[in-house]
Amino acid sequence: MRLVIARCSVDYAGRLTAHLPSAPRLILVKADGSVSIHADDRAYKPLNWMSPPCTLKEGTGDDAGVWTVVNKAGEKLIITMEEVLHDSSHELGVDPGLIKDGVEAHLQELLADRIEVLGQGYTLIRREYPTAIGPVDILCRDAEGRTVAVEIKRRGEIDGVEQLTRYLELLNRDPLLAPVRGVFAAQEIKPQARVLATDRGIGCQVLDYDALRGIEDDKLRLF
């Protein structure tokens, strides 16, 4: 990973256009090819970014200090450096991934074994389906053969919906899987998370842990 702190301006040219005026910012260049620009007051969310696959070209000569990032669709992210305050690279290696707590891991296993509770005719593709930003808990197909990505949480909050949204953005770029829709599944889903999921066309599934284990009524409530 390369970390650059610089005073810079940023221009995006693609389906829309956007401009970030000159200011000090953090630029992250990851091993997967992604480039993201961050401010100091936006938590984890970047001001602008380019997801992989994309290429980064650093200007020379008269264009020195100008970075041009281009994705496969021809969209461009142009970063104009005015002053570089820090520039370092670090080899992080392969990340072991997020280790779920026992309940989440068991919910994933149980739901994969009983995938039909999501709907009649559902079939499992695989658990822990790999993407460039981490594994999707469950990837399956509905009765019509459409791909469905399922994110499982013990407690469903906004961060989980955001995580699933990022997975869907990547998965829908794969012509062998697209169109991919999402299901956010949890034992409890917070009202704010449900509103955000609904707004993004993501289904919400309330999971009953005991019912999945076959202890009680095995009907799940699909919202």
Side-chain angles (χ1 to χ4, degrees):
M1 179 182 291
R2 185 177 178 186
L3 308 175
V4 178
I5 298 175
R7 179 173 291 277
C8 62
S9 59
V10 183
D11 292 279
Y12 171 80
R15 289 166 292 181
L16 302 171
T17 58
H19 174 72
L20 293 172
S22 176
R25 298 188 175 94
L26 168 65
I27 304 166
L28 296 182
V29 183
K30 295 186 178 181
D32 63 5
S34 64
V35 178
S36 56
I37 297 97
H38 298 259
D40 206 16
D41 62 349
R42 296 284 297 272
Y44 65 88
K45 189 173 183 180
L47 297 166
N48 213 326
W49 69 94
M50 193 70 81
S51 301
C54 57
T55 57
L56 167 61
K57 180 180 178 181
E58 297 186 40
T60 59
D62 293 340
D63 291 329
V66 178
W67 290 12
T68 303
V69 188
V70 183
N71 66 13
K72 63 180 182 180
E75 299 168 317
K76 293 183 179 181
L77 192 65
I78 301 170
I79 307 169
T80 304
M81 309 284 190
E82 298 171 13
E83 180 184 9
V84 176
L85 306 172
H86 175 86
D87 189 345
S88 64
S89 297
H90 307 270
E91 181 58 53
L92 302 184
V94 177
D95 191 89
L98 178 67
I99 299 175
K100 294 180 175 291
D101 67 26
V103 173
E104 285 186 12
H106 201 201
L107 281 171
Q108 182 191 116
E109 181 182 352
L110 289 169
L111 188 57
D113 287 342
R114 302 182 63 188
I115 197 66
E116 70 279 357
V117 300
L118 291 175
Q120 186 175 4
Y122 272 66
T123 56
L124 179 68
I125 296 176
R126 68 167 288 178
R127 294 170 52 195
E128 299 289 329
Y129 186 89
T131 76
I133 58 174
V136 177
D137 286 337
I138 290 178
L139 198 68
C140 56
R141 295 192 187 279
D142 64 16
E144 286 72 42
R146 296 170 297 190
T147 312
V148 182
V150 185
E151 180 63 24
I152 299 171
K153 299 292 183 187
R154 184 167 57 85
R155 176 179 294 178
E157 298 182 344
I158 285 177
D159 284 353
V161 179
E162 294 282 8
Q163 182 180 358
L164 180 53
T165 299
R166 294 192 293 272
Y167 288 146
L168 291 172
E169 180 183 350
L170 284 178
L171 293 170
N172 273 300
R173 296 178 184 178
D174 187 338
L176 297 178
L177 297 176
V180 185
R181 66 181 181 88
V183 172
F184 188 50
Q187 288 180 284
E188 174 191 2
I189 300 177
K190 295 295 186 180
Q192 300 93 330
R194 187 183 299 278
V195 170
L196 181 60
T198 301
D199 182 67
R200 295 182 176 179
I202 294 172
C204 290
Q205 176 91 44
V206 175
L207 300 177
D208 186 321
Y209 185 61
D210 288 336
L212 279 174
R213 295 169 63 200
I215 294 176
E216 297 178 356
D217 186 349
D218 63 355
K219 292 181 180 179
L220 298 181
R221 298 182 298 276
L222 180 60
F223 297 87

